[in-house]
Amino acid sequence: IGGAGNGGNAKKARSPDMIRAIAFNRGQDHFAVSGNSCVVQIFNYSTAVPESSVFTTDSFSPLSSTSVPSTIMKAFAPVTSICWNPFRREQMCSTDLRGAVILWDVEAQGALSEFNDHSKSAWAVDFSLPEHDLFATASDDCSVRIWHTSQSSSTAQIKAPAEVLSVKWNPVLENQLAFGCSDKRVYCYDIRHFDKPLYGQECHRRAVCGLDWSTKDQLFTQSNDETVRLWSVQQGKVNPTPLKEYHGHKQLANLVTI
């Protein structure tokens, strides 16, 4: 849905209109959009996408040209990812190119907290479903950091062997966290044991820039090699052969998100 990056089509990546992040709240009635404009916009889905809109493989009805965001919040740098707290309707989190992590109060229309533990650009953020005040971020500083909304700094850090571009909590197994790196590999950790990953497997020909769990034991990965792959994860191990592989994206910038 959204894209980000600073390579490939470099001019497009610097465009002030480029969308880098989009996310729906848990109720699916509002969504947030942001990117190079340094503005986070919240839209009411029913207003932005009328029921009369038709989505087919041959045609796509875009957002209404008259759509007006219900909320606008000023960010401090191009936003790279957004995630809503699944249990606090008013709360969402974002990452940006400075490496900052911002916790937002949508109802108050402003930032609650800013965290600056990352030393380079942060690319992804994800809230845990089982532990709804826990979230994780991925960064070019070769780390995944774990945070709690009540703490002023990260509570834990996982050091990765390469830049980390994507991160997702397992939706059922609360201690399991997967992330994708620029070294073409996906790593999964049990956050109770940081000494070594449950697995680290090469899944693509280029950087793994997006991932998401389909179920507690199936994982989608997306790469700059222009493929999306579905993997089976059994007993903490990834089957070396993907269940499915999807094609269709054309890479115009270095990062896109699932």
Side-chain angles (χ1 to χ4, degrees):
I1 288 179
N6 53 13
N9 190 334
K11 182 178 179 180
K12 187 176 181 64
R14 293 192 299 267
S15 167
D17 299 324
M18 184 177 185
I19 294 175
R20 292 176 178 265
I22 182 169
F24 280 84
N25 66 352
R26 189 173 187 181
Q28 304 291 304
D29 54 353
H30 286 78
F31 62 95
V33 177
S34 191
N36 284 5
S37 64
C38 301
V39 172
V40 179
Q41 299 181 78
I42 312 296
F43 288 89
N44 183 304
Y45 180 77
S46 61
T47 302
V49 186
E51 292 184 6
S52 58
S53 296
V54 177
F55 302 89
T56 70
T57 55
D58 299 320
S59 64
F60 173 74
S61 298
L63 295 181
S64 166
S65 60
T66 60
S67 296
V68 176
S70 58
T71 301
I72 297 176
M73 300 182 295
K74 178 64 178 174
F76 306 102
V79 173
T80 55
S81 67
I82 298 170
C83 186
W84 295 75
N85 187 319
F87 292 96
R88 299 184 188 277
R89 184 179 177 87
E90 78 285 355
Q91 197 173 87
M92 58 181 288
C93 194
S94 69
T95 56
D96 67 32
L97 288 181
R98 299 175 301 158
V101 179
I102 309 293
L103 190 64
W104 301 91
D105 186 324
V106 176
E107 291 183 355
Q109 301 186 22
L112 286 171
S113 306
E114 178 175 333
F115 311 102
N116 293 286
D117 293 17
H118 285 299
S119 59
K120 294 184 179 180
S121 295
W123 291 111
V125 58
D126 188 50
F127 272 99
S128 169
L129 280 175
E131 300 290 337
H132 56 264
D133 284 324
L134 206 64
F135 62 98
T137 55
S139 171
D140 269 350
D141 64 9
C142 302
S143 77
V144 170
R145 288 186 178 267
I146 298 170
W147 316 74
H148 192 280
T149 56
S150 65
Q151 302 294 318
S152 60
S153 61
S154 58
T155 60
Q157 178 183 206
I158 302 173
K159 291 300 293 182
E163 295 91 343
V164 190
L165 308 178
S166 51
V167 63
K168 277 288 180 179
W169 293 95
N170 189 300
V172 177
L173 305 175
E174 71 250 24
N175 295 310
Q176 197 171 109
L177 182 71
F179 55 87
C181 291
S182 62
D183 64 358
K184 316 172 193 176
R185 302 176 75 90
V186 169
Y187 299 86
C188 187
Y189 276 80
D190 182 324
I191 63 169
R192 296 168 296 184
H193 308 287
F194 289 133
D195 52 334
K196 65 176 183 178
L198 296 172
Y199 57 83
Q201 178 168 311
E202 185 169 318
C203 293
H204 287 274
R205 297 184 302 276
R206 295 183 65 188
V208 180
C209 54
L211 51 76
D212 202 358
W213 295 90
S214 172
T215 64
K216 69 179 179 64
D217 51 16
Q218 289 191 349
L219 183 68
F220 281 104
T221 60
Q222 183 174 356
S223 169
N224 291 337
D225 65 13
E226 301 181 349
T227 67
V228 174
R229 294 175 178 173
L230 177 62
W231 305 87
S232 174
V233 182
Q234 299 292 337
Q235 298 179 340
K237 303 295 182 183
V238 179
N239 189 308
T241 303
L243 296 173
K244 293 182 180 180
E245 181 170 310
Y246 305 86
H247 300 266
H249 285 294
K250 296 301 179 184
Q251 199 65 38
L252 299 179
N254 266 354
L255 299 178
V256 289
T257 60
I258 286 183

